[in-house]
């Protein structure tokens, strides 16, 4: 079993839709949770960073962490074609250095 | 633009050869992390350097090595290349040596023929 599981998609939604992206993890030591966006042939770009259970909002993006269920989510409101990319969850243990990534979910927002 | 630079962008070489990938971290960042991204394995952590010293090691093969120089740029050396080493190699940089945010460079695409 992988430490971090993420549905690879692809996920196709119409413009303006609310998108929900999810990851589950198995290691209780994971304390820091990130979402990266990766456009084709580009490096991952940090979108959201959180270290506690609950919600964190930044513009159209909301990150949600449920440590009791070992489940993290990223919501994108009013999705735009420019949001079409691969979204990677990344998790790190407290005091650790290594990021453990999910496999990424490919999202396509269609006009 | 994350501020992390990587060269070259693309590299095509043959099996058995050796290549060097270069990374310059963001201004002020002391840590450099190397990752490999392949279709079947996803993004995998290889190794971290902090201020010239190796800090953490991940799934790095013995044929691979890295170092960080006094000016903080880092090089990843890949030797005795195999077809399976074809992948995207990313470096990321961070401010400190531990639990800090990592900013990724644009990557080097390595193709081994």
């Amino acid at each position: 079993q992988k430490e971090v599981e993420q549905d690879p998609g692809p996920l196709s939604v119409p413009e303006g839709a609310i998108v929900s992206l999810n990851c589950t993890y198995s290691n209780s030591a994971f304390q820091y949770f990130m979402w990266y966006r990766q456009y084709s042939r580009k490096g991952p770009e940090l979108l959201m960073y959180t270290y506690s259970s609950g919600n964190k909002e930044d513009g159209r993006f909301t990150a949600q962490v449920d440590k009791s269920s070992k489940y993290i989510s990223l919501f994108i409101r009013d999705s735009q074609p420019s949001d079409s990319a691969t979204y990677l969850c990344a998790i790190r243990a407290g005091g650790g250095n290594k990021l453990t990534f999910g496999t990424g979910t490919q999202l396509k927002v269609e006009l | 633009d994350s501020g992390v630079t990587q060269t070259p962008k693309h590299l095509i070489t043959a099996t058995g050869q050796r290549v060097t990938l270069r990374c310059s971290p963001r201004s002020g960042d002391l840590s450099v992390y190397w990752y490999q991204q392949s279709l079947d394995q996803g993004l995998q952590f290889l190794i971290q350097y902090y201020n010239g010293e190796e800090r953490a090691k991940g799934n790095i093969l013995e044929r691979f090595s890295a170092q960080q120089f006094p000016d903080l740029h880092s090089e990843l050396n890949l030797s005795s290349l195999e077809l399976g080493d074809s992948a995207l190699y990313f470096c990321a940089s961070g401010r400190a040596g531990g639990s800090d945010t990592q900013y990724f460079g644009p990557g080097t695409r390595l193709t081994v023929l």
Side-chain angles (χ1 to χ4, degrees):
Chain A
Q1 183 189 3
K2 289 185 177 180
E3 287 188 289
V4 182
E5 299 277 359
Q6 185 175 9
D7 187 338
L11 180 62
S12 184
V13 301
E15 184 179 8
I18 296 174
V19 176
S20 172
L21 305 165
N22 310 294
C23 286
T24 58
Y25 62 95
S26 56
N27 190 342
S28 299
F30 288 142
Q31 295 184 19
Y32 298 87
F33 308 92
M34 286 137 277
W35 285 95
Y36 283 84
R37 176 175 63 195
Q38 186 175 23
Y39 291 112
S40 181
R41 298 179 180 271
K42 301 287 187 184
E45 169 195 8
L46 181 66
L47 277 179
M48 300 288 283
Y49 178 96
T50 184
Y51 54 84
S52 59
S53 283
N55 293 352
K56 180 177 180 179
E57 190 173 317
D58 184 0
R60 296 185 295 112
F61 299 92
T62 300
Q64 188 175 79
V65 175
D66 182 348
K67 288 187 178 181
S68 62
S69 301
K70 298 188 181 68
Y71 191 87
I72 65 172
S73 301
L74 177 70
F75 298 97
I76 307 174
R77 289 185 300 281
D78 187 25
S79 55
Q80 304 294 312
S82 58
D83 294 328
S84 298
T86 296
Y87 290 80
L88 299 148
C89 63
I91 306 180
R92 186 176 63 218
N97 313 75
K98 165 191 153 181
L99 289 180
T100 300
F101 282 86
T103 50
T105 299
Q106 187 178 352
L107 171 68
K108 184 171 184 182
V109 180
E110 305 200 43
L111 289 168
Chain B
D1 185 354
S2 66
V4 178
T5 61
Q6 287 187 250
T7 57
K9 286 186 180 179
H10 304 278
L11 203 47
I12 301 175
T13 188
T15 54
Q17 295 298 305
R18 173 189 167 94
V19 297
T20 297
L21 312 183
R22 183 188 168 107
C23 168
S24 292
R26 297 186 319 157
S27 177
D29 284 359
L30 299 179
S31 271
V32 170
Y33 305 79
W34 285 98
Y35 290 84
Q36 180 193 56
Q37 187 175 40
S38 60
L39 282 174
D40 55 342
Q41 294 290 324
L43 203 54
Q44 300 275 318
F45 169 72
L46 296 177
I47 197 164
Q48 178 206 0
Y49 275 80
Y50 172 72
N51 205 21
E53 300 288 328
E54 182 183 305
R55 179 60 68 97
K57 219 167 188 176
N59 302 323
I60 188 166
L61 300 171
E62 285 192 12
R63 300 184 285 110
F64 296 0
S65 64
Q67 54 185 327
Q68 187 178 27
F69 294 87
D71 67 353
L72 301 176
H73 90 271
S74 178
E75 292 180 357
L76 179 67
N77 300 296
L78 315 176
S79 61
S80 302
L81 285 168
E82 302 174 0
L83 296 177
D85 297 327
S86 296
L88 271 166
Y89 291 85
F90 290 103
C91 82
S93 74
R95 189 71 53 178
S99 302
D100 57 337
T101 302
Q102 296 179 27
Y103 296 91
F104 282 75
T108 293
R109 181 173 293 276
L110 173 66
T111 302
V112 182
L113 301 174

